[in-house]
Coordinates of all heavy atoms in Angstrom, one line a residue:
A1 N -27.9 -144.6 171.5 CA -27.1 -145.4 172.3 C -26.8 -144.8 173.6 O -26.9 -143.6 173.8 CB -25.7 -145.7 171.6
I2 N -26.5 -145.7 174.6 CA -26.2 -145.2 176.0 C -25.0 -144.3 176.0 O -24.0 -144.6 175.2 CB -26.0 -146.4 176.9 CG1 -25.9 -146.0 178.4 CG2 -24.9 -147.3 176.5 CD1 -25.9 -147.1 179.4
D3 N -25.0 -143.3 176.7 CA -23.9 -142.4 176.9 C -22.8 -143.0 177.8 O -23.1 -143.3 179.0 CB -24.4 -141.1 177.5 CG -23.2 -140.1 177.8 OD1 -22.1 -140.4 177.4 OD2 -23.5 -139.1 178.5
P4 N -21.7 -143.4 177.2 CA -20.6 -144.1 178.0 C -20.1 -143.2 179.1 O -19.5 -143.7 180.1 CB -19.5 -144.4 177.0 CG -19.8 -143.6 175.8 CD -21.2 -143.2 175.8
Q5 N -20.3 -141.9 179.0 CA -19.9 -140.9 180.1 C -21.0 -140.6 181.1 O -21.0 -139.6 181.7 CB -19.4 -139.6 179.5 CG -18.4 -139.7 178.4 CD -17.1 -140.4 178.8 OE1 -16.4 -140.8 177.9 NE2 -16.7 -140.6 180.0
F6 N -22.0 -141.5 181.1 CA -23.2 -141.2 181.9 C -22.9 -140.8 183.4 O -23.6 -140.0 184.0 CB -24.2 -142.4 181.9 CG -23.6 -143.6 182.7 CD1 -23.9 -143.8 184.0 CD2 -22.9 -144.6 182.0 CE1 -23.4 -144.9 184.7 CE2 -22.4 -145.7 182.7 CZ -22.6 -145.8 184.0
N7 N -21.8 -141.4 183.9 CA -21.5 -141.1 185.3 C -21.0 -139.7 185.5 O -20.9 -139.2 186.6 CB -20.6 -142.2 185.9 CG -19.3 -142.4 185.1 OD1 -19.3 -142.1 183.9 ND2 -18.3 -142.9 185.7
E8 N -20.5 -139.1 184.4 CA -20.1 -137.7 184.5 C -21.3 -136.8 184.1 O -21.4 -135.6 184.6 CB -18.9 -137.4 183.6 CG -17.6 -138.0 184.2 CD -16.5 -138.1 183.1 OE1 -16.6 -137.3 182.1 OE2 -15.7 -139.0 183.2
N9 N -22.1 -137.2 183.1 CA -23.1 -136.4 182.5 C -24.4 -136.4 183.2 O -25.3 -135.6 182.9 CB -23.3 -136.7 181.0 CG -22.0 -136.4 180.2 OD1 -21.2 -135.6 180.6 ND2 -21.8 -137.1 179.1
R10 N -24.6 -137.4 184.1 CA -25.9 -137.6 184.8 C -25.7 -137.5 186.3 O -24.6 -137.8 186.8 CB -26.6 -138.9 184.4 CG -27.0 -139.0 182.9 CD -27.6 -140.3 182.6 NE -28.1 -140.4 181.3 CZ -29.3 -140.9 181.0 NH1 -30.2 -141.2 182.0 NH2 -29.8 -140.9 179.8
E11 N -26.8 -137.2 187.0 CA -26.8 -137.2 188.4 C -27.2 -138.6 189.0 O -28.2 -139.1 188.5 CB -27.7 -136.2 189.0 CG -27.4 -134.8 188.5 CD -27.0 -133.9 189.7 OE1 -27.5 -134.2 190.8 OE2 -26.2 -133.0 189.5
K12 N -26.5 -139.1 190.0 CA -27.0 -140.3 190.7 C -28.2 -139.8 191.6 O -28.0 -139.0 192.4 CB -25.9 -140.9 191.5 CG -26.4 -142.2 192.2 CD -25.2 -142.8 193.0 CE -25.8 -143.9 193.9 NZ -24.8 -144.5 194.7
V13 N -29.4 -140.4 191.3 CA -30.6 -139.9 192.0 C -31.1 -140.9 193.0 O -32.1 -140.7 193.7 CB -31.7 -139.6 191.0 CG1 -31.3 -138.4 190.1 CG2 -32.1 -140.8 190.1
G14 N -30.4 -142.1 193.1 CA -30.9 -143.0 194.1 C -30.3 -144.4 193.9 O -29.4 -144.6 193.1
E15 N -30.9 -145.4 194.5 CA -30.5 -146.8 194.4 C -31.7 -147.7 194.3 O -32.8 -147.3 194.9 CB -29.6 -147.3 195.5 CG -28.2 -146.6 195.6 CD -27.2 -147.5 196.3 OE1 -27.6 -148.5 196.9 OE2 -26.1 -147.1 196.4
E16 N -31.6 -148.8 193.5 CA -32.7 -149.7 193.5 C -32.1 -151.1 193.3 O -31.2 -151.3 192.5 CB -33.6 -149.4 192.3 CG -34.9 -150.2 192.3 CD -35.9 -149.7 191.3 OE1 -36.6 -148.7 191.6 OE2 -35.9 -150.2 190.2
N17 N -32.5 -152.0 194.2 CA -32.0 -153.4 194.2 C -30.5 -153.4 194.3 O -29.8 -154.2 193.6 CB -32.5 -154.2 192.9 CG -34.0 -154.3 192.9 OD1 -34.6 -154.3 194.0 ND2 -34.5 -154.6 191.8
G18 N -29.9 -152.5 195.0 CA -28.5 -152.4 195.2 C -27.7 -151.7 194.0 O -26.5 -151.7 194.1
L19 N -28.4 -151.2 193.0 CA -27.8 -150.6 191.9 C -28.0 -149.1 191.9 O -29.1 -148.6 192.3 CB -28.4 -151.1 190.6 CG -28.3 -152.6 190.3 CD1 -29.1 -153.0 189.1 CD2 -26.8 -153.0 190.1
S20 N -27.0 -148.4 191.4 CA -27.2 -146.9 191.3 C -28.2 -146.6 190.2 O -28.3 -147.3 189.2 CB -25.8 -146.3 190.9 OG -24.9 -146.4 192.0
V21 N -29.0 -145.5 190.4 CA -29.9 -145.0 189.5 C -29.4 -143.6 189.0 O -29.2 -142.7 189.9 CB -31.3 -144.9 190.1 CG1 -32.3 -144.3 189.0 CG2 -31.8 -146.2 190.6
W22 N -29.2 -143.5 187.7 CA -28.7 -142.2 187.1 C -29.8 -141.6 186.4 O -30.4 -142.1 185.4 CB -27.5 -142.5 186.2 CG -26.4 -143.3 186.8 CD1 -26.3 -144.7 186.9 CD2 -25.3 -142.8 187.5 NE1 -25.2 -145.0 187.6 CE2 -24.5 -143.9 188.0 CE3 -24.8 -141.5 187.7 CZ2 -23.3 -143.7 188.7 CZ3 -23.6 -141.3 188.4 CH2 -22.9 -142.4 188.9
G23 N -30.2 -140.4 186.8 CA -31.4 -139.7 186.3 C -31.1 -139.1 184.9 O -30.0 -139.2 184.4
P24 N -32.1 -138.3 184.4 CA -33.3 -138.0 185.1 C -34.3 -139.2 185.1 O -34.3 -140.0 184.2 CB -33.9 -136.8 184.3 CG -33.3 -137.0 182.9 CD -31.9 -137.6 183.2
V25 N -35.1 -139.2 186.2 CA -36.2 -140.2 186.3 C -37.5 -139.5 186.5 O -37.6 -138.6 187.3 CB -35.9 -141.1 187.5 CG1 -37.1 -142.0 187.8 CG2 -34.7 -142.0 187.3
D26 N -38.5 -139.9 185.7 CA -39.9 -139.4 185.9 C -40.8 -140.6 185.6 O -41.2 -140.8 184.4 CB -40.1 -138.2 184.9 CG -41.5 -137.6 185.1 OD1 -42.1 -137.9 186.1 OD2 -41.9 -136.8 184.2
E27 N -41.0 -141.4 186.6 CA -41.8 -142.7 186.4 C -43.2 -142.4 186.0 O -43.8 -141.4 186.5 CB -41.7 -143.5 187.7 CG -40.3 -144.0 188.0 CD -40.2 -144.8 189.2 OE1 -41.2 -145.1 189.8 OE2 -39.1 -145.2 189.6
P28 N -43.8 -143.2 185.2 CA -43.3 -144.4 184.6 C -42.6 -144.3 183.3 O -42.0 -145.2 182.8 CB -44.5 -145.3 184.5 CG -45.6 -144.4 184.1 CD -45.3 -143.1 184.9
E29 N -42.6 -143.0 182.7 CA -42.2 -142.9 181.3 C -40.7 -142.8 181.2 O -40.1 -143.1 180.2 CB -42.8 -141.6 180.7 CG -44.3 -141.7 180.5 CD -45.1 -141.2 181.7 OE1 -44.5 -140.7 182.6 OE2 -46.3 -141.3 181.6
Q30 N -40.0 -142.2 182.2 CA -38.6 -142.0 182.1 C -37.9 -142.7 183.3 O -38.2 -142.3 184.5 CB -38.3 -140.5 182.1 CG -36.8 -140.2 181.7 CD -36.6 -138.7 181.6 OE1 -37.3 -137.8 182.2 NE2 -35.7 -138.3 180.7
L31 N -37.0 -143.6 183.0 CA -36.4 -144.4 184.1 C -34.9 -144.3 184.3 O -34.4 -144.8 185.3 CB -36.8 -145.9 183.8 CG -38.3 -146.2 183.8 CD1 -38.6 -147.6 183.4 CD2 -38.9 -145.9 185.2
G32 N -34.2 -143.6 183.4 CA -32.8 -143.4 183.6 C -32.0 -144.6 183.3 O -32.4 -145.6 182.7
I33 N -30.7 -144.6 183.8 CA -29.7 -145.7 183.7 C -29.6 -146.4 185.0 O -29.5 -145.7 186.0 CB -28.4 -145.1 183.2 CG1 -28.5 -144.6 181.7 CG2 -27.3 -146.1 183.3 CD1 -27.3 -143.9 181.2
R34 N -29.5 -147.7 185.0 CA -29.3 -148.5 186.2 C -28.0 -149.2 186.1 O -27.7 -149.9 185.1 CB -30.5 -149.5 186.3 CG -31.9 -149.0 186.2 CD -32.1 -147.9 187.2 NE -33.4 -147.2 186.9 CZ -34.5 -147.4 187.6 NH1 -34.6 -148.2 188.5 NH2 -35.6 -146.6 187.3
G35 N -27.3 -149.2 187.2 CA -26.0 -149.9 187.3 C -24.9 -149.0 187.0 O -25.1 -147.8 186.5
T36 N -23.6 -149.4 187.3 CA -22.5 -148.6 187.1 C -21.4 -149.3 186.3 O -21.1 -148.9 185.2 CB -21.9 -148.1 188.4 OG1 -22.9 -147.4 189.1 CG2 -20.7 -147.2 188.2
H37 N -20.9 -150.4 186.8 CA -19.9 -151.2 186.0 C -20.6 -151.8 184.8 O -20.1 -151.8 183.7 CB -19.3 -152.3 186.8 CG -18.3 -153.1 186.0 ND1 -17.0 -152.6 185.8 CD2 -18.4 -154.3 185.4 CE1 -16.4 -153.5 185.0 NE2 -17.2 -154.5 184.8
V38 N -21.8 -152.4 185.0 CA -22.7 -152.8 183.9 C -23.9 -151.9 184.0 O -24.7 -151.9 184.9 CB -23.1 -154.3 184.0 CG1 -24.0 -154.6 182.8 CG2 -21.9 -155.2 184.1
A39 N -24.0 -151.0 183.0 CA -25.1 -150.0 183.0 C -26.1 -150.2 181.9 O -25.7 -150.5 180.7 CB -24.5 -148.6 182.9
V40 N -27.3 -150.2 182.2 CA -28.4 -150.3 181.2 C -29.3 -149.1 181.2 O -29.8 -148.6 182.2 CB -29.3 -151.6 181.5 CG1 -30.4 -151.7 180.5 CG2 -28.5 -152.8 181.5
D41 N -29.4 -148.5 180.0 CA -30.3 -147.3 179.8 C -31.7 -147.9 179.6 O -32.1 -148.3 178.6 CB -29.8 -146.5 178.6 CG -30.5 -145.2 178.5 OD1 -31.7 -145.1 178.9 OD2 -29.9 -144.2 178.1
Y42 N -32.5 -147.8 180.7 CA -33.9 -148.3 180.7 C -34.7 -147.5 179.6 O -35.7 -148.1 179.2 CB -34.5 -148.2 182.0 CG -34.2 -149.3 183.0 CD1 -33.1 -150.1 182.8 CD2 -35.0 -149.5 184.1 CE1 -32.8 -151.2 183.7 CE2 -34.7 -150.6 185.0 CZ -33.6 -151.4 184.8 OH -33.3 -152.4 185.7
D43 N -34.4 -146.3 179.3 CA -35.2 -145.6 178.4 C -34.9 -146.0 176.9 O -35.7 -145.7 176.0 CB -35.0 -144.1 178.6 CG -35.5 -143.7 179.9 OD1 -36.6 -144.0 180.3 OD2 -34.7 -143.0 180.7
L44 N -33.8 -146.8 176.7 CA -33.5 -147.4 175.4 C -33.9 -148.8 175.3 O -34.3 -149.3 174.2 CB -32.0 -147.2 175.1 CG -31.5 -145.8 175.0 CD1 -30.0 -145.9 174.8 CD2 -32.1 -145.0 173.9
C45 N -33.9 -149.6 176.4 CA -34.1 -151.0 176.5 C -35.5 -151.3 175.9 O -36.5 -150.8 176.3 CB -34.0 -151.5 177.9 SG -34.3 -153.3 178.1
I46 N -35.5 -152.3 175.0 CA -36.8 -152.8 174.4 C -37.1 -154.2 174.8 O -37.9 -154.8 174.2 CB -36.7 -152.7 172.8 CG1 -35.5 -153.5 172.2 CG2 -36.6 -151.2 172.4 CD1 -35.6 -153.7 170.7
A47 N -36.4 -154.7 175.8 CA -36.7 -156.0 176.4 C -36.4 -157.1 175.3 O -37.1 -158.1 175.3 CB -38.1 -156.1 176.9
D48 N -35.4 -156.9 174.5 CA -35.1 -157.9 173.5 C -34.6 -159.2 174.1 O -35.0 -160.3 173.7 CB -33.9 -157.4 172.6 CG -33.3 -158.4 171.7 OD1 -33.9 -158.6 170.6 OD2 -32.3 -159.0 172.0
G49 N -33.8 -159.2 175.2 CA -33.5 -160.4 176.0 C -32.2 -161.0 175.6 O -31.8 -162.0 176.2
A50 N -31.5 -160.5 174.6 CA -30.3 -161.2 174.1 C -29.2 -161.1 175.3 O -28.4 -162.1 175.4 CB -29.7 -160.5 172.9
C51 N -29.2 -160.1 176.0 CA -28.2 -160.0 177.1 C -28.5 -161.1 178.2 O -27.5 -161.7 178.7 CB -28.2 -158.6 177.7 SG -29.8 -158.0 178.3
L52 N -29.7 -161.3 178.5 CA -30.0 -162.3 179.5 C -29.6 -163.7 179.0 O -29.1 -164.5 179.7 CB -31.5 -162.3 179.8 CG -32.0 -161.4 181.0 CD1 -32.5 -160.1 180.4 CD2 -33.1 -162.1 181.8
E53 N -29.9 -163.9 177.7 CA -29.6 -165.2 177.1 C -28.1 -165.5 177.0 O -27.6 -166.6 177.3 CB -30.1 -165.3 175.6 CG -31.6 -165.1 175.5 CD -32.3 -166.5 175.4 OE1 -31.8 -167.3 174.7 OE2 -33.3 -166.7 176.1
D54 N -27.3 -164.4 176.7 CA -25.9 -164.6 176.3 C -24.9 -164.4 177.5 O -23.8 -164.9 177.4 CB -25.6 -163.7 175.2 CG -26.2 -164.1 173.9 OD1 -26.9 -165.2 173.9 OD2 -26.1 -163.5 172.8
C55 N -25.3 -163.7 178.5 CA -24.3 -163.4 179.6 C -23.9 -164.7 180.2 O -24.7 -165.5 180.7 CB -24.9 -162.5 180.6 SG -23.8 -162.2 182.0
P56 N -22.6 -165.0 180.2 CA -22.1 -166.3 180.7 C -22.2 -166.4 182.2 O -22.1 -167.5 182.7 CB -20.7 -166.4 180.2 CG -20.2 -164.9 180.1 CD -21.5 -164.2 179.6
V57 N -22.4 -165.3 182.9 CA -22.4 -165.4 184.4 C -23.7 -164.8 185.0 O -23.8 -164.5 186.1 CB -21.2 -164.7 185.0 CG1 -19.9 -165.4 184.7 CG2 -21.1 -163.2 184.5
D58 N -24.7 -164.7 184.1 CA -26.1 -164.4 184.5 C -26.2 -163.1 185.4 O -26.7 -163.1 186.5 CB -26.7 -165.5 185.3 CG -26.9 -166.8 184.5 OD1 -27.1 -166.6 183.3 OD2 -26.8 -167.9 185.0
V59 N -25.6 -162.0 184.8 CA -25.7 -160.7 185.5 C -27.1 -160.1 185.5 O -27.5 -159.5 186.4 CB -24.7 -159.8 184.8 CG1 -25.0 -158.3 185.1 CG2 -23.3 -160.1 185.2
F60 N -27.9 -160.4 184.4 CA -29.2 -159.7 184.2 C -30.4 -160.5 184.8 O -30.4 -161.7 184.7 CB -29.4 -159.5 182.7 CG -28.3 -158.6 182.1 CD1 -27.2 -159.3 181.4 CD2 -28.3 -157.3 182.2 CE1 -26.2 -158.5 180.9 CE2 -27.3 -156.5 181.6 CZ -26.2 -157.2 181.0
E61 N -31.3 -159.7 185.2 CA -32.7 -160.3 185.6 C -33.7 -159.3 185.1 O -33.5 -158.1 185.0 CB -32.8 -160.4 187.1 CG -32.0 -161.5 187.7 CD -32.3 -161.7 189.2 OE1 -33.4 -161.4 189.6 OE2 -31.4 -162.3 189.8
W62 N -34.9 -159.9 184.7 CA -36.0 -159.0 184.2 C -36.6 -158.3 185.4 O -36.8 -158.9 186.5 CB -37.1 -159.8 183.6 CG -36.8 -160.4 182.3 CD1 -36.8 -161.7 181.9 CD2 -36.4 -159.7 181.1 NE1 -36.5 -161.9 180.6 CE2 -36.2 -160.7 180.0 CE3 -36.2 -158.4 180.8 CZ2 -35.9 -160.3 178.7 CZ3 -35.8 -158.0 179.5 CH2 -35.7 -159.0 178.5
V63 N -36.9 -157.0 185.2 CA -37.7 -156.3 186.2 C -38.9 -155.7 185.4 O -38.8 -155.3 184.3 CB -37.0 -155.2 186.9 CG1 -35.9 -155.8 187.8 CG2 -36.3 -154.2 186.0
D64 N -40.1 -155.6 186.0 CA -41.3 -155.1 185.4 C -41.3 -153.5 185.4 O -41.0 -152.9 186.5 CB -42.5 -155.6 186.1 CG -42.7 -157.1 185.9 OD1 -42.4 -157.5 184.8 OD2 -43.2 -157.8 186.8
T65 N -41.6 -153.0 184.3 CA -41.7 -151.5 184.2 C -42.9 -151.1 183.4 O -42.9 -150.6 182.3 CB -40.4 -150.9 183.4 OG1 -40.3 -151.6 182.1 CG2 -39.1 -151.2 184.2
P66 N -44.1 -151.4 184.0 CA -45.3 -151.1 183.4 C -45.5 -149.6 182.9 O -45.0 -148.7 183.7 CB -46.4 -151.4 184.4 CG -45.7 -151.5 185.7 CD -44.3 -151.9 185.4
D67 N -46.0 -149.4 181.8 CA -46.3 -148.1 181.2 C -45.0 -147.4 180.7 O -45.1 -146.2 180.4 CB -47.1 -147.2 182.2 CG -48.4 -147.8 182.5 OD1 -49.0 -148.4 181.6 OD2 -48.9 -147.8 183.7
H68 N -43.9 -148.1 180.6 CA -42.8 -147.4 180.0 C -43.0 -147.5 178.5 O -43.4 -148.5 177.9 CB -41.4 -148.1 180.3 CG -40.3 -147.3 179.8 ND1 -39.7 -147.5 178.6 CD2 -39.6 -146.2 180.3 CE1 -38.7 -146.6 178.3 NE2 -38.6 -145.8 179.4
P69 N -42.7 -146.4 177.7 CA -43.1 -146.4 176.3 C -42.3 -147.4 175.4 O -42.8 -147.9 174.4 CB -42.8 -145.0 175.8 CG -42.0 -144.3 177.0 CD -42.4 -145.1 178.2
E70 N -41.1 -147.8 175.8 CA -40.3 -148.7 175.0 C -40.6 -150.2 175.3 O -40.6 -151.0 174.4 CB -38.8 -148.5 175.2 CG -38.3 -147.1 174.7 CD -38.5 -146.9 173.2 OE1 -38.6 -147.9 172.4 OE2 -38.7 -145.7 172.8
S71 N -40.8 -150.5 176.5 CA -41.1 -151.9 176.9 C -41.6 -152.0 178.3 O -41.2 -151.2 179.2 CB -39.8 -152.8 176.7 OG -38.8 -152.3 177.5
E72 N -42.3 -153.1 178.6 CA -43.0 -153.3 179.9 C -42.1 -154.0 180.9 O -42.5 -154.3 182.0 CB -44.3 -154.0 179.8 CG -45.2 -153.3 178.8 CD -46.3 -152.5 179.6 OE1 -47.0 -153.1 180.4 OE2 -46.5 -151.3 179.3
K73 N -40.9 -154.4 180.5 CA -39.9 -155.0 181.4 C -38.5 -154.6 180.9 O -38.3 -154.2 179.7 CB -40.0 -156.5 181.5 CG -39.8 -157.2 180.2 CD -39.9 -158.7 180.3 CE -39.6 -159.4 179.0 NZ -39.7 -160.9 179.1
K74 N -37.5 -154.6 181.8 CA -36.2 -154.2 181.5 C -35.2 -155.2 182.0 O -35.4 -155.9 183.0 CB -35.9 -152.8 182.2 CG -36.8 -151.7 181.8 CD -36.8 -151.3 180.4 CE -37.9 -150.3 180.1 NZ -37.9 -149.9 178.6
A75 N -34.0 -155.3 181.3 CA -32.9 -156.1 181.8 C -32.1 -155.4 182.8 O -31.3 -154.5 182.5 CB -32.0 -156.5 180.6
E76 N -32.3 -155.8 184.1 CA -31.6 -155.2 185.2 C -30.2 -155.8 185.4 O -30.2 -157.1 185.5 CB -32.4 -155.3 186.5 CG -31.7 -154.6 187.6 CD -32.5 -154.9 188.9 OE1 -32.4 -156.0 189.5 OE2 -33.2 -154.0 189.4
P77 N -29.1 -155.1 185.5 CA -27.8 -155.7 185.7 C -27.6 -156.0 187.2 O -26.7 -155.6 187.8 CB -26.8 -154.6 185.2 CG -27.6 -153.3 185.5 CD -29.0 -153.6 185.2
T78 N -28.6 -156.8 187.7 CA -28.7 -157.1 189.1 C -27.4 -157.6 189.7 O -27.1 -157.2 190.9 CB -29.8 -158.2 189.3 OG1 -30.9 -157.9 188.4 CG2 -30.2 -158.3 190.7
H79 N -26.7 -158.4 189.0 CA -25.5 -159.0 189.6 C -24.2 -158.5 188.9 O -23.4 -159.2 188.4 CB -25.6 -160.5 189.4 CG -26.9 -161.1 190.0 ND1 -27.2 -161.1 191.3 CD2 -28.0 -161.5 189.3 CE1 -28.4 -161.6 191.5 NE2 -28.9 -161.9 190.3
E80 N -24.1 -157.1 188.7 CA -23.1 -156.5 188.0 C -21.7 -156.9 188.5 O -20.7 -156.9 187.8 CB -23.2 -155.0 187.8 CG -23.2 -154.3 189.1 CD -23.2 -152.7 189.0 OE1 -23.2 -152.2 187.8 OE2 -23.2 -152.0 190.0
A81 N -21.7 -157.2 189.9 CA -20.4 -157.5 190.5 C -19.8 -158.8 189.9 O -18.6 -159.1 190.1 CB -20.5 -157.6 192.0
Q82 N -20.6 -159.7 189.3 CA -20.2 -160.9 188.8 C -19.6 -160.8 187.4 O -19.0 -161.7 186.8 CB -21.3 -161.9 188.7 CG -21.9 -162.3 190.0 CD -23.1 -163.3 189.9 OE1 -23.4 -163.8 188.8 NE2 -23.8 -163.4 190.9
C83 N -19.7 -159.6 186.8 CA -19.3 -159.4 185.4 C -17.9 -159.7 185.1 O -17.0 -159.4 185.9 CB -19.6 -158.0 185.0 SG -19.1 -157.5 183.3
I84 N -17.6 -160.5 184.0 CA -16.2 -160.8 183.7 C -15.7 -160.1 182.5 O -14.7 -160.4 181.8 CB -16.1 -162.4 183.5 CG1 -17.1 -162.8 182.3 CG2 -16.3 -163.1 184.8 CD1 -16.8 -164.3 181.9
D85 N -16.4 -159.0 182.1 CA -16.0 -158.1 181.0 C -15.8 -158.7 179.7 O -14.9 -158.4 178.9 CB -14.7 -157.4 181.4 CG -14.8 -156.5 182.7 OD1 -16.0 -156.2 183.0 OD2 -13.8 -156.3 183.3
C86 N -16.7 -159.7 179.4 CA -16.6 -160.4 178.1 C -17.1 -159.5 176.9 O -16.8 -159.8 175.8 CB -17.3 -161.7 178.1 SG -19.1 -161.6 178.1
M87 N -18.0 -158.5 177.2 CA -18.5 -157.6 176.3 C -19.6 -158.2 175.4 O -20.1 -157.5 174.4 CB -17.5 -156.9 175.4 CG -16.5 -156.1 176.3 SD -17.4 -154.9 177.2 CE -16.1 -153.8 177.7
L88 N -20.0 -159.4 175.6 CA -21.1 -160.0 174.8 C -22.4 -159.2 174.8 O -23.0 -159.0 173.8 CB -21.3 -161.4 175.3 CG -21.4 -162.6 174.3 CD1 -20.3 -162.6 173.4 CD2 -21.5 -163.9 175.0
C89 N -22.8 -158.8 176.0 CA -24.1 -158.1 176.1 C -24.0 -156.8 175.3 O -25.0 -156.4 174.6 CB -24.4 -157.8 177.5 SG -23.2 -156.8 178.4
V90 N -22.9 -156.1 175.4 CA -22.7 -154.8 174.6 C -22.8 -155.1 173.1 O -23.5 -154.4 172.4 CB -21.3 -154.2 174.9 CG1 -21.1 -153.0 174.0 CG2 -21.3 -153.8 176.4
D91 N -22.3 -156.2 172.7 CA -22.3 -156.6 171.2 C -23.7 -157.0 170.8 O -24.0 -156.7 169.6 CB -21.3 -157.7 171.0 CG -19.8 -157.2 171.1 OD1 -19.6 -156.0 171.1 OD2 -18.9 -158.1 171.2
V92 N -24.4 -157.7 171.6 CA -25.7 -158.3 171.1 C -26.9 -157.3 171.3 O -27.9 -157.5 170.7 CB -26.0 -159.6 171.8 CG1 -25.0 -160.7 171.4 CG2 -26.2 -159.5 173.3
C93 N -26.8 -156.3 172.1 CA -27.9 -155.4 172.3 C -28.3 -154.7 171.1 O -27.5 -154.0 170.5 CB -27.6 -154.4 173.4 SG -29.1 -153.3 173.7
P94 N -29.5 -154.9 170.6 CA -29.9 -154.3 169.3 C -30.1 -152.8 169.3 O -30.1 -152.2 168.3 CB -31.3 -155.0 168.9 CG -31.8 -155.4 170.3 CD -30.6 -155.7 171.1
V95 N -30.2 -152.2 170.5 CA -30.4 -150.8 170.6 C -29.3 -150.1 171.4 O -29.4 -148.9 171.7 CB -31.8 -150.4 171.3 CG1 -32.9 -150.8 170.3 CG2 -31.9 -151.1 172.6
D96 N -28.2 -150.8 171.6 CA -27.0 -150.3 172.3 C -27.4 -149.6 173.6 O -27.0 -148.5 173.9 CB -26.3 -149.3 171.4 CG -25.6 -149.9 170.2 OD1 -25.1 -151.1 170.3 OD2 -25.5 -149.3 169.1
A97 N -28.1 -150.3 174.4 CA -28.6 -149.8 175.7 C -27.6 -150.1 176.8 O -27.8 -149.6 177.9 CB -29.9 -150.3 176.0
I98 N -26.5 -150.9 176.6 CA -25.7 -151.4 177.6 C -24.2 -150.8 177.5 O -23.7 -150.8 176.4 CB -25.6 -152.9 177.6 CG1 -27.0 -153.5 177.6 CG2 -24.8 -153.4 178.8 CD1 -27.0 -155.0 177.5
D99 N -23.7 -150.4 178.6 CA -22.3 -150.0 178.7 C -21.6 -150.8 179.7 O -22.1 -150.9 180.9 CB -22.2 -148.5 179.0 CG -20.7 -148.0 179.1 OD1 -20.0 -148.0 178.0 OD2 -20.2 -147.7 180.2
V100 N -20.5 -151.4 179.4 CA -19.7 -152.1 180.4 C -18.3 -151.4 180.5 O -17.6 -151.3 179.4 CB -19.5 -153.6 180.0 CG1 -18.5 -154.3 181.0 CG2 -20.8 -154.3 180.0
D101 N -18.0 -150.9 181.6 CA -16.7 -150.2 181.8 C -15.7 -151.1 182.3 O -15.6 -151.4 183.5 CB -17.0 -149.0 182.8 CG -15.7 -148.2 183.0 OD1 -14.7 -148.5 182.3 OD2 -15.6 -147.4 183.9
A102 N -14.9 -151.6 181.4 CA -13.9 -152.7 181.7 C -12.6 -152.1 182.2 O -11.7 -152.8 182.5 CB -13.6 -153.5 180.4
S103 N -12.5 -150.8 182.3 CA -11.2 -150.2 182.7 C -11.1 -150.3 184.2 O -12.0 -150.5 184.9 CB -11.2 -148.7 182.3 OG -12.2 -148.0 183.0
Ligands
SF4_1 FE1 -22.3 -160.5 181.3 FE2 -20.2 -160.3 179.6 FE3 -22.0 -158.3 179.7 FE4 -20.4 -158.7 181.8 S1 -19.8 -158.0 179.7 S2 -22.6 -158.4 181.9 S3 -20.1 -160.9 181.8 S4 -22.3 -160.5 179.0

């Protein structure tokens, strides 16, 4: 599962599409965590898609991640600022790749 303390335990190594990237990153095999309020561990994400289907405010968008060992696309929390903290995505993710910090 995603480490809910990722922002303390990992280094912010950059930004992509306006989202923080939390390392380590070693592309294409290791992609780190994307986002902060809504955070997705790309190294766990298997592109199940339940979060995209269920998010009531369409926070997520697919991004292509060719040659990643778990999946060739990831659910990016592109619009994390729109999140209403319903926690649906956290509940439906089959691999617990999402953390929403509602505090
Ligand atoms: Fe969308 Fe709810 Fe997840 Fe926020 S907590 S990203 S609103 S599903």
